[in-house]
Amino acid sequence: MAMSCKDGKQPINMDNGKYVRYTPEQVEALERLYHDCPKPSSIRRQQLIRECPILSHIEPKQIKVWFQNRRCREKQRKEASRLQAVNRKLTAMNKLLMEENDRLQKQVSQLVYENGYFRQHTQNTTLATKDTSCESVVTSGQHHLTPQHPPRDASPAGLLSIAEETLTEFLSKATGTAVEWVQMPGMKPGPDSIGIVAISHGCTGVGARACGLVGLEPTRVAEILKDRLSWFRDCRAVDVLNVLPTANGGTIELLYMQLYAPTTLAPGRDFWLLRYTSVLEDGSLVVCERSLKNTQNGPSMPPVQHFVRAEMLPSGYLVRPCEGGGSIIHIVDHMDLEPWSVPEVLRPLYESSSVLAQKTTVAALRQLRQIAQEASQSNVTNWGRRPAALRALSQRLSRGFNEALNGFSDEGWSMIGNDGMDDVTILVNSSPDKLLGLNLSFTNGFPAVSSAVLCAKASMLLQNVPPAILLRFLREHRSEWADNNIDAYAAAAVKVGPCSLQGSRVGSFGGQVILPLAHTVEHEEFLEVIKLEGVSHSPEDAMMPRDVFLLQLCCGMDENAVGTCAELIFAPIDATFADDAPLLPSGFRIIPLDSGKEASSPNRTLDLASALEVGAAGNRASSDYSANSGCTRSVMTIAFEFAFESHMQEHVASMARQYVRSIISSVQRVALALSPSNLGSQAGLRSPLGTPEAQTLARWICQSYRSYLGVELLKSNSEGSESILKTLWHHSDAIMCCSLKALPVFTFANQAGLDMLETTLVALQDITLEKIFDDHGRKTLCSEFPQIMQQGFTCLQGGICLSSMGRPVSYERAVAWKVLNEEENAHCICFMFINWSFV
C-alpha cells in the first residue's frame, strides 16, 4: 500500500474508497501513543481506539499500518543519522590522513635532501679542516642549529618569550617534521581505531604522537586533558603555582607535577613546567608545555626529596573543531625521564617510547573516547552507577595502589624493621588523613577498631612469560596464589556486615564469581566485583563462613599490545558499596622490559594443571608455544595492604611478610609453568595441535557431524588427525564442546570459540554452558536437548549469548550435535556458532 508520509501525516482509507489525511489532533494522539508503545498488539490497538475518542473513526487495520510506517520512518531516521555520523567521521579521517600524508611527503623530501648532503660530504674527504664559525648538528635525520636562547627571566615578557618558543616547537612536532615519527607496532589506523599513533625514532628522550577524532567540543577536550589527575594514573599531583594572562587572550601557567614510580625499584619523577594555552588564527586550540631549566634563566624550583627531576621537551595538544561536531586532536608527549637514575635492568622502561605512548598518549585518547561514548549513551549502568562514578572507582583503586607502592613519607608512611631479609618491605601508615580516607571510624553504626594501615610490597624479575598471559591466570585462578582466609581478614578490617550486591554472574572460576561493573570502550580495562564464596577469617568463624566481595580492576590483558602494563588491583568493599566506599587496594603490576622484542601470539593459552602435574594424560597446553620461545623480561611489583589495630602491628607485619613471600613463590611456580621454554624440557607438555587426545577429539567431532548432518564440517580435504585438528582450530566459526553432565562445562574450543567467549583454554573448563545463554536461550536449549540425544543433532535460531567478560555476542544460527567415540558412545556435545560478532 503506497502512502504519503509528509509531515507525519498519513491518508485514511474511508468507506467511500477515498483517501483523506489525518488531522493534526489525530497525529498528535498517535505520536503520543507511539512513544508509550511503538509496537502495540491487536488487542492493544483496539484498546487505544476505545480509550481515545478522536481515533474512534479509524479502522484497526489503518492504525496497524500507521504504526508500521511510523516504525519504518524511525528506523530510516536512525539509519540516516548513523550514516551521516559515519560520513562525517570518514570525512574528518580522510582530512587527517591527507594531512599526515603531506607531512610524510615533506619528511621524505627532507630525508632525500639530507641523503644527498651526506653523500656529497663523504665524497669531499679532502676537506679535512672544519669551519667552526658556522657549525651545525645533524640529529634524527635533520639539521638542527645549535639553540641560541635569548636571555630569559621570570618577568611576564620573559615567560611569554619561552611560551611562544614552546608553541613553535610543539607545532613543528605535531604537524611538521621536527621529529621522525614511525608507526607504533600493534596500532593499526582506521575509522574504528583509537587513532594514528606513532613513536619517535632517533631523537633525544622518548616521544609519542597521536592524532584522532573525538566526539567532544575543543574546549571540553582541552579541559579534560589539562586535568591530568582525572585520567593519567601515574600522576600523583599537579600544583598550579602561578597563572598569567597574555595579550592575545591566552594563559601562561607555572606547574609543579609529580609522577608515581611504577615499581619499588625506582624513585618517582617530578617536573617543573610552563604551560601555555592559546588560540591560533584558524581557531585551533593549543595547550603546550615544556620544562623550565636553569639555562633559560626563568623561574626555578629546588629539587624535592624522593623524586628525580625529569625534563618535558615541548609537548602538548592541538585541538581543531571538526565539521558536524567533535574535534580533531593531535597529541605529542616528549620527555627525558633520566634513565641513568634507575637500575640497569629497568632502563628499557624509561627508554621506551612505546611505554610512554601506552601510559600517556593512548591513555589520553581513551579517556576522551570513553567520556564521549558515555555522553551518547544511558547515564546509568545496570548496577545503578553512573559511568563517571565507575571511572572514579577505577581511578581510586589505581591511585591507592600507587600510593602504597611508593610509600611517601609526606603521606604518613614509614618503614619498619625487617627480619633480616630484604625481599619484602613493610611500611606502616597511622596518619589521620589515611584513616579518614578509609572511613574506618564507623561502619553500619558500629565503631571499627583498626587504627593503622600496613603495606607489604616487593618486586621480582620474570623471565620468558608474557605479562598478559600471567595476569589472565592470576585473575581466573585466584585459588592458586591467594589465601581466602586472609582475604576475609582484610575484608573484616574495613567492614562489619556482609555485602549484598546483586548482578549478573558471567564467570565462575574455582570458588570465585566475577560480576562485571564496567569496561572501557576498547575493552582494555575491566572493573568487576569478585565474590569469594563461603570463607572465614578465623577459626571461630569457620562454622559460619561468609561471602567476601572484592572490587577489582583488571587491565593489560591484550597480548599483542606493545608497551602495555598489566595490572590486577583489588580491594575489599563494605556492605553499602557506596561511591565513596573505603578502599584499601592491593594487587599486582607487571611491566614488560623488552617492549620492542615481544612477539607473543594471541593464541597462547595454557592449562596450568597440566604444567603443574607433569605427565598427566589428556592435558592440553597452549598453541604456538614453540613459535614464541624468545626470551622476554618483565618486572612484577606486588603490594598488599591491611588495616589493623596498633597493638597488633608486629603480628600483622609477620603475617603480611609471610603472605607476600608465599605469593611470590606461587607466582614463580606459575611463571615457570607458563614459560614456553618449560614446554621443551618437560615431556608431558605439548601444544594442543600436537596432543593425541586433541587430535582424536577433532576426528570424532568431524565424523559425528558428517554422520548426523550428511555434510562435511571441514571444507578442505584434510588428511591425518593432525591436519584435521589444525583445520578445525582455525575454523572461522566458533566450535566448542561441553561435557555430558548434570551441569555441562566446556571442555574444548577452537580459536574462534575462545575469542567469542573471551577466555582461554585455562579458564574454559570453569565456564558452564548455562552461563553463556540468557533465560530465553536456556529455555530453548532445554527443550532441544532431548532431540540432540535422540536424533543426534539440532539447529538453533540466531540469538544472543554472553562472553566470559559479560559482553553480548550475537550469532546468526547455531548447530549442536552429539559427538560419538570409537565405541559409538556419546562423548560430548559440540556446538558451532555461525557468523558471530560482538554487539
Side-chain angles (χ1 to χ4, degrees):
M1 180 181 294
M3 295 184 180
S4 173
C5 300
K6 293 182 179 179
D7 301 326
K9 298 179 180 180
Q10 292 180 326
I12 302 178
N13 188 1
M14 306 301 289
D15 292 338
N16 58 6
K18 295 182 179 181
Y19 292 93
V20 296
R21 295 183 179 279
Y22 290 112
T23 65
E25 292 79 10
Q26 290 172 331
V27 172
E28 182 180 355
L30 288 170
E31 286 287 349
R32 187 166 56 251
L33 297 173
Y34 175 82
H35 288 294
D36 293 338
C37 181
K39 195 174 182 179
S41 63
S42 176
I43 297 176
R44 177 60 176 154
R45 290 195 298 271
Q46 293 177 1
Q47 182 183 358
L48 293 176
I49 294 176
R50 291 194 301 268
E51 294 176 351
C52 192
I54 198 173
L55 303 176
S56 60
H57 299 294
I58 304 177
E59 297 179 359
K61 183 178 180 181
Q62 201 66 35
I63 295 289
K64 178 181 179 181
V65 172
W66 187 93
F67 273 92
Q68 288 176 343
N69 289 342
R70 182 64 178 83
R71 290 194 300 270
C72 180
R73 290 199 309 274
E74 181 69 16
K75 183 178 180 181
Q76 290 174 345
R77 184 191 65 80
K78 290 182 178 179
E79 181 64 12
S81 177
R82 186 188 69 83
L83 291 176
Q84 289 174 357
V86 171
N87 182 63
R88 288 194 300 268
K89 186 174 182 179
L90 291 175
T91 300
M93 180 63 72
N94 181 61
K95 180 180 179 181
L96 198 60
L97 291 174
M98 291 177 64
E99 293 176 353
E100 183 71 3
N101 184 56
D102 291 341
R103 188 191 66 81
L104 292 174
Q105 287 182 347
K106 291 178 182 178
Q107 185 171 334
V108 168
S109 300
Q110 189 167 4
L111 291 173
V112 170
Y113 167 78
E114 290 171 355
N115 182 55
Y117 169 81
F118 280 118
R119 184 175 298 174
Q120 181 180 4
H121 183 74
T122 54
Q123 289 176 351
N124 297 332
T125 55
T126 56
L127 301 177
T129 59
K130 184 177 181 181
D131 183 5
T132 59
S133 62
C134 186
E135 183 177 354
S136 66
V137 180
V138 181
T139 60
S140 306
Q142 303 177 60
H143 296 285
H144 294 289
L145 295 178
T146 303
Q148 300 293 330
H149 294 288
R152 299 284 193 267
D153 54 43
S155 67
L159 293 177
L160 180 61
S161 176
I162 298 175
E164 292 291 348
E165 184 180 88
T166 303
L167 173 63
T168 301
E169 293 187 34
F170 160 68
L171 292 176
S172 68
K173 297 176 183 180
T175 61
T177 59
V179 172
E180 181 182 350
W181 302 108
V182 296
Q183 182 175 322
M184 182 174 172
M187 301 294 291
K188 296 182 180 180
D192 295 325
S193 68
I194 194 171
I196 304 172
V197 183
I199 56 177
S200 62
H201 174 69
C203 67
T204 302
V206 291
R209 173 184 176 272
C211 48
L213 309 175
V214 292
L216 299 169
E217 295 304 312
T219 53
R220 177 63 175 146
V221 171
E223 176 187 346
I224 293 171
L225 294 178
K226 290 173 72 171
D227 184 15
R228 270 199 179 92
L229 284 173
S230 68
W231 59 267
F232 188 20
R233 298 284 173 83
D234 285 354
C235 186
R236 183 191 184 216
V238 177
D239 295 329
V240 181
L241 303 182
N242 197 6
V243 179
L244 300 173
T246 62
N248 60 3
T251 57
I252 295 175
E253 300 168 279
L254 301 183
L255 311 177
Y256 175 67
M257 180 173 69
Q258 292 180 342
L259 303 184
Y260 288 111
T263 77
T264 62
L265 305 175
R269 297 295 188 266
D270 67 349
F271 297 84
W272 171 232
L273 302 171
L274 178 145
R275 181 164 68 192
Y276 182 36
T277 305
S278 63
V279 179
L280 302 182
E281 294 181 356
D282 62 357
S284 299
L285 186 60
V286 180
V287 180
C288 56
E289 299 172 316
R290 83 174 309 156
S291 287
L292 291 171
K293 301 184 297 183
N294 294 333
T295 56
Q296 298 168 331
N297 296 323
S300 60
M301 167 69 70
V304 178
Q305 189 179 12
H306 306 305
F307 287 91
V308 172
R309 181 64 48 85
E311 179 182 3
M312 181 179 291
L313 302 165
S315 307
Y317 319 107
L318 170 63
V319 191
R320 295 180 293 172
C322 184
E323 295 182 8
S327 304
I328 300 176
I329 180 171
H330 291 73
I331 301 177
V332 173
D333 290 301
H334 194 183
M335 303 179 184
D336 184 351
L337 296 174
E338 305 294 342
W340 59 266
S341 63
V342 301
E344 185 174 356
V345 69
L346 291 182
R347 288 182 186 175
L349 178 61
Y350 293 81
E351 296 172 341
S352 170
S353 293
S354 295
V355 172
L356 175 70
Q358 289 285 4
K359 292 174 62 176
T360 309
T361 317
V362 175
L365 278 180
R366 286 205 176 104
Q367 176 79 353
L368 293 172
R369 288 186 50 148
Q370 185 72 27
I371 293 177
Q373 185 187 66
E374 292 169 2
S376 63
Q377 293 182 349
S378 173
N379 208 25
V380 178
T381 68
N382 59 339
W383 284 79
R385 296 294 200 284
R386 296 182 182 276
L390 295 177
R391 280 192 286 107
L393 284 173
S394 299
Q395 183 76 1
R396 287 178 58 201
L397 278 174
S398 181
R399 185 175 182 85
F401 182 76
N402 276 325
E403 177 189 323
L405 188 150
N406 283 261
F408 291 116
S409 57
D410 60 358
E411 291 178 341
W413 292 100
S414 60
M415 186 182 302
I416 63 175
N418 57 43
D419 59 356
M421 301 176 62
D422 297 328
D423 56 337
V424 179
T425 301
I426 303 294
L427 302 176
V428 171
N429 193 332
S430 56
S431 67
D433 290 340
K434 178 69 173 177
L435 300 177
L436 183 62
L438 287 174
N439 194 24
L440 293 176
S441 56
F442 290 95
T443 308
N444 291 345
F446 295 94
V449 294
S450 302
S451 59
V453 175
L454 180 143
C455 175
K457 60 182 182 178
S459 293
M460 57 187 293
L461 184 67
L462 300 175
Q463 295 277 2
N464 212 19
V465 55
I469 294 285
L470 178 57
L471 184 88
R472 188 181 301 154
F473 182 87
L474 295 175
R475 171 181 177 267
E476 297 172 355
H477 292 264
R478 187 181 184 90
S479 60
E480 291 288 340
W481 56 267
D483 186 332
N484 282 354
N485 293 331
I486 293 183
D487 285 330
Y489 169 84
V494 296
K495 70 183 182 71
V496 175
C499 183
S500 57
L501 286 173
Q502 299 293 329
S504 58
R505 177 187 301 197
V506 300
S508 179
F509 306 107
Q512 68 175 15
V513 178
I514 295 181
L515 308 170
L517 281 175
H519 51 71
T520 58
V521 288
E522 282 79 27
H523 300 278
E524 295 291 337
E525 179 179 290
F526 296 88
L527 184 66
E528 53 202 15
V529 171
I530 304 300
K531 178 183 178 183
L532 305 178
E533 298 177 320
V535 299
S536 58
H537 73 278
S538 66
E540 294 77 9
D541 292 340
M543 300 300 295
M544 299 181 60
R546 299 183 302 178
D547 294 339
V548 172
F549 288 82
L550 305 174
L551 181 65
Q552 180 166 279
L553 177 67
C554 183
C555 58
M557 292 196 297
D558 183 1
E559 299 170 41
N560 293 322
V562 177
T564 300
C565 168
E567 291 182 332
L568 186 70
I569 304 173
F570 46 86
I573 51 180
D574 68 0
T576 61
F577 187 42
D579 292 341
D580 59 348
L583 297 179
L584 203 60
S586 302
F588 307 88
R589 173 177 291 155
I590 314 172
I591 307 173
L593 297 177
D594 302 312
S595 299
K597 301 176 184 179
E598 292 187 14
S600 59
S601 165
N603 299 336
R604 296 187 58 178
T605 55
L606 182 68
D607 181 351
L608 185 75
S610 67
L612 301 182
E613 299 175 9
V614 180
N619 293 331
R620 292 193 302 271
S622 76
S623 64
D624 296 340
Y625 258 50
S626 60
N628 294 279
S629 57
C631 179
T632 60
R633 296 182 306 163
S634 57
V635 59
M636 169 183 274
T637 298
I638 305 171
F640 278 73
E641 291 189 271
F642 304 92
F644 66 97
E645 303 173 53
S646 57
H647 68 276
M648 296 286 291
Q649 175 173 309
E650 185 175 347
H651 171 73
V652 174
S654 177
M655 178 271 294
R657 182 179 288 110
Q658 294 303 319
Y659 184 45
V660 170
R661 285 175 181 165
S662 70
I663 292 175
I664 292 174
S665 177
S666 299
V667 169
Q668 290 173 335
R669 182 171 59 97
V670 170
L672 179 63
L674 292 173
S675 172
S677 61
N678 192 41
L679 298 178
S681 61
Q682 301 189 28
L685 301 178
R686 285 166 291 192
S687 73
L689 302 187
T691 58
E693 295 81 5
Q695 295 171 6
T696 300
L697 177 61
R699 189 175 71 253
W700 290 349
I701 291 172
C702 296
Q703 289 176 351
S704 300
Y705 186 88
R706 181 174 60 251
S707 174
Y708 288 121
L709 283 86
V711 294
E712 295 289 346
L713 175 61
L714 306 179
K715 302 301 181 182
S716 60
N717 296 324
S718 303
E719 296 182 0
S721 298
E722 184 175 353
S723 179
I724 292 174
L725 176 57
K726 186 175 181 180
T727 306
L728 183 72
W729 178 261
H730 295 290
H731 198 284
S732 59
D733 294 323
I735 299 174
M736 53 195 76
C737 297
C738 67
S739 60
L740 290 171
K741 298 179 179 179
L743 189 62
V745 297
F746 288 105
T747 58
F748 171 80
N750 67 348
Q751 185 59 57
L754 296 177
D755 293 341
M756 172 179 153
L757 295 178
E758 291 190 296
T759 188
T760 67
L761 286 177
V762 178
L764 181 67
Q765 300 172 31
D766 292 321
I767 302 176
T768 59
L769 179 62
E770 67 170 9
K771 297 305 178 187
I772 73 168
F773 289 104
D774 56 15
D775 291 337
H776 175 72
R778 282 192 288 269
K779 292 178 181 178
T780 302
L781 187 62
C782 289
S783 64
E784 296 289 343
F785 200 80
Q787 181 179 346
I788 300 175
M789 300 307 296
Q790 295 174 8
Q791 180 179 317
F793 76 97
T794 189
C795 295
L796 305 174
Q797 295 182 350
I800 300 291
C801 62
L802 295 176
S803 74
S804 65
M805 296 296 185
R807 296 175 65 187
V809 181
S810 66
Y811 56 93
E812 184 178 295
R813 55 193 175 92
V815 181
W817 68 97
K818 184 168 54 176
V819 177
L820 303 178
N821 59 19
E822 302 290 357
E823 289 76 27
E824 297 295 320
N825 295 323
H827 177 75
C828 62
I829 300 294
C830 191
F831 290 85
M832 179 167 65
F833 295 88
I834 300 170
N835 294 335
W836 65 272
S837 63
F838 290 110
V839 178

